[in-house]
Amino acid sequence: MKTAKLGRFEDALRHYCVKCGHISRSWSLALHKSQNVIEIRDSKSRELVYVKDYSHDDGFWGLNEPQLNVIRQSGFKWCVVLLLGSSEESFLLDSQQVEAAIASRQWSVGKRDKDYKLHKTDLPSTATRYAAFGDLFAHLLAT
């Protein structure tokens, strides 16, 4: 589901990418044409960013296991961005951090919806926290 904050994130990322000579758009091979998976590319590289907004009602982020499988199978570099609060606060987890948390069963998974449920306290201590989208984008496009 696309939230207002996700829309602001996408708009800010698109603008930032244009300034840096990159393209960002919803990834066409995402399950159900999800707007939560964004492709960032330039002439030399391609990366997938799986973006999730925090569910204030339930108090967690939900990473969809089937969606993660499609992302993994793409062969592209990928990461997860977790949006928090009403400002530009976010967390960045690279694919290794995500895979380690899943392998250690650090995150619970729903039986029916196959979502990994991540609470703020479940984030790896190595997750990078950003206060502004620009700082996050600078990191994403530098790697």
Side-chain angles (χ1 to χ4, degrees):
M1 176 172 74
K2 186 170 182 174
T3 64
K5 185 167 184 180
L6 179 58
R8 288 192 312 273
F9 177 88
E10 288 176 332
D11 290 344
L13 178 59
R14 193 173 303 110
H15 179 73
Y16 193 94
C17 283
V18 167
K19 290 190 321 188
C20 299
H22 289 73
I23 296 170
S24 71
R25 64 179 182 194
S26 292
W27 187 44
S28 62
L29 299 178
L31 291 181
H32 312 295
K33 301 297 179 208
S34 172
Q35 296 177 348
N36 291 70
V37 183
I38 300 170
E39 175 185 3
I40 299 174
R41 65 183 171 97
D42 64 9
S43 61
K44 298 178 282 183
S45 65
R46 184 177 293 181
E47 179 173 7
L48 300 177
V49 181
Y50 187 15
V51 185
K52 295 299 287 193
D53 200 358
Y54 190 74
S55 169
H56 294 287
D57 296 338
D58 300 321
F60 65 86
W61 296 276
L63 297 181
N64 182 264
E65 184 179 36
Q67 188 74 274
L68 282 171
N69 289 335
V70 170
I71 291 168
R72 288 175 180 124
Q73 293 168 3
S74 73
F76 300 130
K77 180 179 174 183
W78 61 275
C79 65
V80 170
V81 171
L82 303 172
L83 305 176
L84 179 66
S86 58
S87 64
E88 295 187 354
E89 187 176 357
S90 62
F91 292 92
L92 174 65
L93 289 84
D94 63 30
S95 59
Q96 293 84 9
Q97 291 168 312
V98 173
E99 298 295 4
I102 290 170
S104 70
R105 299 179 189 256
Q106 184 176 346
W107 301 336
S108 62
V109 65
K111 292 183 193 309
R112 194 193 79 206
D113 58 8
K114 301 216 181 220
D115 276 357
Y116 291 100
K117 310 296 187 201
L118 289 74
H119 297 84
K120 196 172 173 185
T121 56
D122 297 331
L123 292 176
S125 60
T126 55
T128 308
R129 187 176 190 157
Y130 293 94
F133 289 157
D135 296 335
L136 169 63
F137 301 156
H139 178 85
L140 280 175
L141 277 76
T143 58

